[in-house]
Short mmCIF file of all heavy atoms in Angstrom, two decimals:
data_model
loop_
_atom_site.label_atom_id
_atom_site.label_comp_id
_atom_site.label_asym_id
_atom_site.label_seq_id
_atom_site.Cartn_x
_atom_site.Cartn_y
_atom_site.Cartn_z
N GLN A 598 18.60 138.26 160.55
CA GLN A 598 19.75 137.47 161.00
C GLN A 598 20.90 137.48 159.98
O GLN A 598 21.97 136.95 160.23
CB GLN A 598 19.33 136.01 161.24
CG GLN A 598 18.27 135.80 162.33
CD GLN A 598 16.85 136.07 161.82
OE1 GLN A 598 16.63 136.39 160.66
NE2 GLN A 598 15.89 135.92 162.74
N THR A 599 20.68 138.13 158.82
CA THR A 599 21.71 138.07 157.77
C THR A 599 22.01 139.46 157.20
O THR A 599 22.81 140.19 157.76
CB THR A 599 21.25 137.12 156.64
OG1 THR A 599 19.96 137.57 156.13
CG2 THR A 599 21.13 135.69 157.12
N ILE A 600 21.34 139.86 156.14
CA ILE A 600 21.72 141.04 155.41
C ILE A 600 21.50 142.35 156.17
O ILE A 600 22.11 143.36 155.85
CB ILE A 600 21.00 141.12 154.03
CG1 ILE A 600 19.49 140.97 154.20
CG2 ILE A 600 21.57 140.05 153.10
CD1 ILE A 600 18.72 141.11 152.90
N PHE A 601 20.65 142.33 157.19
CA PHE A 601 20.41 143.53 157.99
C PHE A 601 20.87 143.33 159.45
O PHE A 601 20.53 144.13 160.33
CB PHE A 601 18.95 143.96 157.95
CG PHE A 601 18.59 144.69 156.67
CD1 PHE A 601 18.29 143.98 155.51
CD2 PHE A 601 18.57 146.07 156.60
CE1 PHE A 601 17.97 144.62 154.37
CE2 PHE A 601 18.26 146.73 155.41
CZ PHE A 601 17.95 145.99 154.30
N PHE A 602 21.64 142.29 159.69
CA PHE A 602 22.06 141.96 161.05
C PHE A 602 22.90 143.07 161.68
O PHE A 602 22.71 143.45 162.83
CB PHE A 602 22.84 140.63 161.04
CG PHE A 602 23.40 140.27 162.40
CD1 PHE A 602 22.58 139.83 163.42
CD2 PHE A 602 24.76 140.36 162.65
CE1 PHE A 602 23.07 139.51 164.67
CE2 PHE A 602 25.28 140.03 163.90
CZ PHE A 602 24.43 139.60 164.90
N GLU A 603 23.86 143.63 160.92
CA GLU A 603 24.77 144.61 161.45
C GLU A 603 24.10 145.93 161.86
O GLU A 603 24.64 146.70 162.64
CB GLU A 603 25.89 144.89 160.47
CG GLU A 603 26.84 143.71 160.23
CD GLU A 603 27.97 144.06 159.30
OE1 GLU A 603 28.15 145.25 158.99
OE2 GLU A 603 28.68 143.13 158.85
N LEU A 604 22.91 146.20 161.32
CA LEU A 604 22.25 147.46 161.64
C LEU A 604 21.70 147.49 163.05
O LEU A 604 21.52 148.53 163.64
CB LEU A 604 21.10 147.71 160.64
CG LEU A 604 21.52 148.06 159.20
CD1 LEU A 604 20.29 148.31 158.36
CD2 LEU A 604 22.44 149.27 159.19
N GLY A 605 21.43 146.31 163.62
CA GLY A 605 20.88 146.25 164.97
C GLY A 605 19.36 146.38 164.97
O GLY A 605 18.74 146.79 164.00
N ILE A 606 18.76 146.02 166.12
CA ILE A 606 17.30 145.96 166.24
C ILE A 606 16.65 147.31 166.05
O ILE A 606 15.62 147.45 165.36
CB ILE A 606 16.92 145.39 167.61
CG1 ILE A 606 17.30 143.89 167.70
CG2 ILE A 606 15.39 145.50 167.86
CD1 ILE A 606 17.03 143.27 169.04
N GLU A 607 17.21 148.37 166.62
CA GLU A 607 16.60 149.72 166.53
C GLU A 607 16.51 150.20 165.09
O GLU A 607 15.45 150.67 164.66
CB GLU A 607 17.36 150.69 167.38
CG GLU A 607 17.20 150.50 168.87
CD GLU A 607 17.88 151.59 169.68
OE1 GLU A 607 18.35 152.56 169.08
OE2 GLU A 607 17.93 151.44 170.93
N LYS A 608 17.59 150.09 164.35
CA LYS A 608 17.59 150.58 162.96
C LYS A 608 16.71 149.69 162.10
O LYS A 608 16.05 150.18 161.17
CB LYS A 608 19.00 150.64 162.42
CG LYS A 608 19.79 151.82 162.98
CD LYS A 608 20.70 152.42 161.93
CE LYS A 608 21.31 153.73 162.33
NZ LYS A 608 21.72 153.86 163.72
N ARG A 609 16.68 148.38 162.35
CA ARG A 609 15.78 147.51 161.62
C ARG A 609 14.33 147.92 161.85
O ARG A 609 13.51 147.95 160.92
CB ARG A 609 16.00 146.06 162.02
CG ARG A 609 17.28 145.45 161.47
CD ARG A 609 17.29 143.93 161.52
NE ARG A 609 17.27 143.39 162.86
CZ ARG A 609 18.36 143.11 163.57
NH1 ARG A 609 19.57 143.33 163.04
NH2 ARG A 609 18.25 142.60 164.79
N ALA A 610 14.00 148.23 163.08
CA ALA A 610 12.62 148.65 163.38
C ALA A 610 12.32 149.97 162.68
O ALA A 610 11.21 150.16 162.12
CB ALA A 610 12.45 148.81 164.88
N GLU A 611 13.28 150.90 162.63
CA GLU A 611 13.11 152.15 161.94
C GLU A 611 12.82 151.96 160.45
O GLU A 611 12.05 152.68 159.82
CB GLU A 611 14.34 153.02 162.11
CG GLU A 611 14.33 154.34 161.38
CD GLU A 611 15.71 155.01 161.39
OE1 GLU A 611 16.44 154.83 162.39
OE2 GLU A 611 16.06 155.67 160.40
N MET A 612 13.43 150.93 159.90
CA MET A 612 13.29 150.61 158.48
C MET A 612 12.10 149.74 158.17
O MET A 612 11.87 149.35 157.01
CB MET A 612 14.56 149.98 157.94
CG MET A 612 15.80 150.87 158.04
SD MET A 612 17.32 150.04 157.53
CE MET A 612 17.07 149.93 155.76
N GLY A 613 11.33 149.36 159.21
CA GLY A 613 10.14 148.54 158.99
C GLY A 613 10.46 147.07 158.76
O GLY A 613 9.75 146.40 158.02
N ILE A 614 11.50 146.56 159.43
CA ILE A 614 11.94 145.17 159.22
C ILE A 614 11.75 144.40 160.51
O ILE A 614 12.52 144.55 161.48
CB ILE A 614 13.43 145.13 158.82
CG1 ILE A 614 13.64 145.91 157.51
CG2 ILE A 614 13.89 143.69 158.67
CD1 ILE A 614 15.09 146.10 157.15
N PRO A 615 10.69 143.55 160.59
CA PRO A 615 10.49 142.75 161.78
C PRO A 615 11.52 141.63 161.89
O PRO A 615 12.14 141.26 160.88
CB PRO A 615 9.07 142.16 161.57
CG PRO A 615 8.88 142.19 160.10
CD PRO A 615 9.64 143.37 159.61
N GLU A 616 11.73 141.12 163.08
CA GLU A 616 12.77 140.15 163.30
C GLU A 616 12.49 138.81 162.63
O GLU A 616 13.37 138.03 162.36
CB GLU A 616 12.95 139.94 164.83
CG GLU A 616 13.46 141.18 165.56
CD GLU A 616 14.74 141.73 164.97
OE1 GLU A 616 15.79 141.07 165.15
OE2 GLU A 616 14.72 142.79 164.33
N GLY A 617 11.22 138.54 162.31
CA GLY A 617 10.87 137.29 161.69
C GLY A 617 10.63 137.39 160.19
O GLY A 617 10.02 136.48 159.57
N MET A 618 11.14 138.44 159.56
CA MET A 618 10.89 138.64 158.13
C MET A 618 11.72 137.68 157.27
O MET A 618 12.89 137.42 157.52
CB MET A 618 11.19 140.10 157.73
CG MET A 618 11.06 140.38 156.26
SD MET A 618 11.50 142.09 155.82
CE MET A 618 10.02 142.94 156.30
N ILE A 619 11.08 137.20 156.20
CA ILE A 619 11.74 136.39 155.18
C ILE A 619 11.62 137.14 153.86
O ILE A 619 10.51 137.54 153.46
CB ILE A 619 11.09 135.00 155.06
CG1 ILE A 619 11.25 134.21 156.33
CG2 ILE A 619 11.68 134.24 153.85
CD1 ILE A 619 10.43 132.95 156.39
N ARG A 620 12.75 137.33 153.19
CA ARG A 620 12.71 137.98 151.87
C ARG A 620 12.74 136.93 150.79
O ARG A 620 13.50 135.95 150.87
CB ARG A 620 13.92 138.92 151.70
CG ARG A 620 13.85 139.73 150.41
CD ARG A 620 15.16 140.43 150.15
NE ARG A 620 16.20 139.51 149.72
CZ ARG A 620 17.49 139.84 149.56
NH1 ARG A 620 17.87 141.09 149.81
NH2 ARG A 620 18.38 138.96 149.13
N LEU A 621 11.94 137.16 149.78
CA LEU A 621 11.92 136.26 148.61
C LEU A 621 12.26 137.06 147.34
O LEU A 621 11.72 138.15 147.12
CB LEU A 621 10.53 135.66 148.42
CG LEU A 621 9.96 134.81 149.54
CD1 LEU A 621 8.54 134.38 149.19
CD2 LEU A 621 10.84 133.57 149.80
N SER A 622 13.13 136.52 146.57
CA SER A 622 13.34 136.97 145.20
C SER A 622 12.72 135.90 144.31
O SER A 622 13.26 134.78 144.24
CB SER A 622 14.84 137.17 144.89
OG SER A 622 15.03 137.42 143.53
N VAL A 623 11.62 136.18 143.74
CA VAL A 623 10.82 135.16 143.03
C VAL A 623 11.38 135.00 141.59
O VAL A 623 11.53 135.98 140.86
CB VAL A 623 9.34 135.53 143.02
CG1 VAL A 623 8.51 134.43 142.34
CG2 VAL A 623 8.84 135.78 144.44
N GLY A 624 11.64 133.75 141.25
CA GLY A 624 12.22 133.43 139.98
C GLY A 624 11.23 133.04 138.91
O GLY A 624 10.05 133.40 138.97
N ILE A 625 11.72 132.28 137.95
CA ILE A 625 10.92 131.95 136.76
C ILE A 625 10.52 130.49 136.69
O ILE A 625 10.16 129.99 135.65
CB ILE A 625 11.67 132.36 135.48
CG1 ILE A 625 12.96 131.54 135.30
CG2 ILE A 625 11.98 133.85 135.48
CD1 ILE A 625 13.62 131.76 133.95
N GLU A 626 10.58 129.80 137.85
CA GLU A 626 10.16 128.40 137.85
C GLU A 626 8.71 128.26 137.39
O GLU A 626 7.93 129.23 137.40
CB GLU A 626 10.31 127.80 139.27
CG GLU A 626 11.75 127.73 139.78
CD GLU A 626 12.18 128.92 140.61
OE1 GLU A 626 11.48 129.96 140.52
OE2 GLU A 626 13.21 128.84 141.28
N ASP A 627 8.31 127.02 137.07
CA ASP A 627 6.91 126.77 136.82
C ASP A 627 6.10 127.09 138.08
O ASP A 627 6.44 126.64 139.17
CB ASP A 627 6.72 125.30 136.40
CG ASP A 627 7.36 125.01 135.06
OD1 ASP A 627 6.94 125.58 134.05
OD2 ASP A 627 8.34 124.20 135.04
N ARG A 628 5.04 127.86 137.88
CA ARG A 628 4.30 128.36 139.04
C ARG A 628 3.75 127.25 139.94
O ARG A 628 3.79 127.36 141.16
CB ARG A 628 3.14 129.25 138.55
CG ARG A 628 2.43 129.99 139.67
CD ARG A 628 1.49 131.04 139.11
NE ARG A 628 2.23 131.97 138.24
CZ ARG A 628 1.67 132.87 137.46
NH1 ARG A 628 0.33 132.98 137.42
NH2 ARG A 628 2.39 133.68 136.73
N GLU A 629 3.29 126.19 139.34
CA GLU A 629 2.72 125.05 140.13
C GLU A 629 3.80 124.48 141.06
O GLU A 629 3.49 124.11 142.21
CB GLU A 629 2.19 123.98 139.19
CG GLU A 629 1.06 124.42 138.29
CD GLU A 629 1.51 125.24 137.09
OE1 GLU A 629 2.75 125.31 136.84
OE2 GLU A 629 0.63 125.85 136.41
N ASP A 630 5.03 124.40 140.60
CA ASP A 630 6.10 123.86 141.43
C ASP A 630 6.42 124.77 142.60
O ASP A 630 6.68 124.31 143.74
CB ASP A 630 7.37 123.62 140.60
CG ASP A 630 7.16 122.56 139.53
OD1 ASP A 630 6.35 121.66 139.74
OD2 ASP A 630 7.79 122.68 138.46
N LEU A 631 6.40 126.07 142.34
CA LEU A 631 6.67 127.03 143.42
C LEU A 631 5.56 126.97 144.47
O LEU A 631 5.83 126.93 145.67
CB LEU A 631 6.72 128.45 142.86
CG LEU A 631 8.08 129.02 142.45
CD1 LEU A 631 7.90 130.44 141.97
CD2 LEU A 631 9.08 128.94 143.60
N MET A 632 4.32 126.99 144.03
CA MET A 632 3.21 127.01 144.97
C MET A 632 3.19 125.73 145.81
O MET A 632 2.97 125.77 147.02
CB MET A 632 1.88 127.16 144.21
CG MET A 632 1.81 128.39 143.31
SD MET A 632 2.02 129.95 144.19
CE MET A 632 0.40 130.11 144.93
N GLU A 633 3.47 124.60 145.20
CA GLU A 633 3.50 123.34 145.92
C GLU A 633 4.64 123.31 146.94
O GLU A 633 4.48 122.78 148.05
CB GLU A 633 3.65 122.18 144.93
CG GLU A 633 3.79 120.81 145.58
CD GLU A 633 2.63 120.46 146.49
OE1 GLU A 633 1.48 120.88 146.22
OE2 GLU A 633 2.85 119.74 147.50
N ASP A 634 5.76 123.91 146.58
CA ASP A 634 6.91 123.94 147.53
C ASP A 634 6.54 124.73 148.78
O ASP A 634 6.85 124.31 149.91
CB ASP A 634 8.13 124.52 146.83
CG ASP A 634 9.42 124.22 147.59
OD1 ASP A 634 9.50 123.16 148.20
OD2 ASP A 634 10.35 125.07 147.53
N PHE A 635 5.89 125.88 148.62
CA PHE A 635 5.51 126.67 149.78
C PHE A 635 4.42 125.97 150.58
O PHE A 635 4.42 126.04 151.83
CB PHE A 635 5.06 128.07 149.36
CG PHE A 635 6.21 129.03 149.16
CD1 PHE A 635 6.83 129.14 147.93
CD2 PHE A 635 6.68 129.77 150.21
CE1 PHE A 635 7.90 129.99 147.74
CE2 PHE A 635 7.75 130.65 150.03
CZ PHE A 635 8.37 130.75 148.78
N LYS A 636 3.54 125.32 149.90
CA LYS A 636 2.43 124.62 150.58
C LYS A 636 3.00 123.50 151.50
O LYS A 636 2.65 123.41 152.66
CB LYS A 636 1.44 124.04 149.58
CG LYS A 636 0.27 123.32 150.21
CD LYS A 636 -0.69 122.82 149.16
CE LYS A 636 -1.94 122.20 149.80
NZ LYS A 636 -1.63 121.09 150.72
N GLN A 637 3.89 122.69 150.93
CA GLN A 637 4.40 121.59 151.74
C GLN A 637 5.29 122.09 152.89
O GLN A 637 5.30 121.52 153.98
CB GLN A 637 5.15 120.58 150.86
CG GLN A 637 6.43 121.07 150.18
CD GLN A 637 7.67 121.08 151.05
OE1 GLN A 637 7.72 120.35 152.05
NE2 GLN A 637 8.65 121.91 150.72
N ALA A 638 6.03 123.20 152.65
CA ALA A 638 6.90 123.73 153.70
C ALA A 638 6.06 124.31 154.83
O ALA A 638 6.40 124.12 156.03
CB ALA A 638 7.79 124.79 153.12
N LEU A 639 4.97 125.01 154.50
CA LEU A 639 4.10 125.60 155.54
C LEU A 639 3.31 124.52 156.27
O LEU A 639 3.15 124.55 157.49
CB LEU A 639 3.15 126.62 154.90
CG LEU A 639 3.81 127.96 154.52
CD1 LEU A 639 2.88 128.76 153.60
CD2 LEU A 639 4.16 128.80 155.76
N ASP A 640 2.83 123.55 155.50
CA ASP A 640 2.04 122.45 156.14
C ASP A 640 2.88 121.66 157.11
O ASP A 640 2.38 121.13 158.11
CB ASP A 640 1.52 121.52 155.05
CG ASP A 640 0.36 122.15 154.25
OD1 ASP A 640 -0.13 123.22 154.67
OD2 ASP A 640 -0.01 121.57 153.22
#
Side-chain angles (χ1 to χ4, degrees):
Q598 298 83 0
T599 56
I600 53 177
F601 282 82
F602 176 71
E603 292 183 11
L604 290 181
I606 292 176
E607 288 186 8
K608 285 217 169 40
R609 287 197 293 270
E611 176 191 328
M612 298 175 72
I614 300 171
E616 297 303 290
M618 176 182 281
I619 296 169
R620 186 191 73 187
L621 300 176
S622 172
V623 183
I625 64 172
E626 295 92 345
D627 293 296
R628 189 169 303 171
E629 297 77 10
D630 295 330
L631 268 183
M632 304 300 283
E633 176 57 33
D634 196 32
F635 277 89
K636 182 178 184 303
Q637 65 81 22
L639 286 166
D640 286 350

